[in-house]
Amino acid sequence: MARPMRAAPQPLPVNANRVIIAGTALWFVAFLVLLVLSGRLAESGHLVWLWTTLAGWVLGLLGLFVATRQQRR
């Protein structure tokens, strides 16, 4: 016996720019922490983590630009 489907909930109002800024800031903080530890990362062969956090920060900035541009239109 199939249960009747419930209606989809209404989307929550979210300020996308705040979410993107928070995520981008976290990527940047992670980059700074790993930059301090870059010597240890290089010794253990995990230097890619440093560049991953840098890429996350740059992509976050790009996402902020795109989201801001879309909201203006």
Side-chain angles (χ1 to χ4, degrees), residues 5-52:
M5 295 187 67
R6 290 187 278 177
Q10 293 296 320
L12 296 173
V14 175
N15 185 346
N17 284 350
R18 279 189 184 175
V19 174
I20 296 170
I21 289 171
T24 303
L26 289 173
W27 277 113
F28 186 66
V29 168
F31 173 74
L32 292 177
V33 169
L34 292 179
L35 188 62
V36 171
L37 301 172
S38 62
R40 286 186 177 181
L41 289 173
E43 289 173 4
S44 63
H46 291 77
L47 198 56
V48 70
W49 291 2
L50 178 67
W51 305 119
T52 302

Side-chain angles (χ1 to χ4, degrees), residues 1 5 16 21 31 41 48-49 54-55 57 62 64 71 73:
M1 180 182 253
M5 295 187 67
I21 289 171
F31 173 74
L41 289 173
V48 70
W49 291 2
L54 180 62
W57 177 62
L62 179 64
L64 182 61
Q71 284 180 355
R73 291 184 178 191

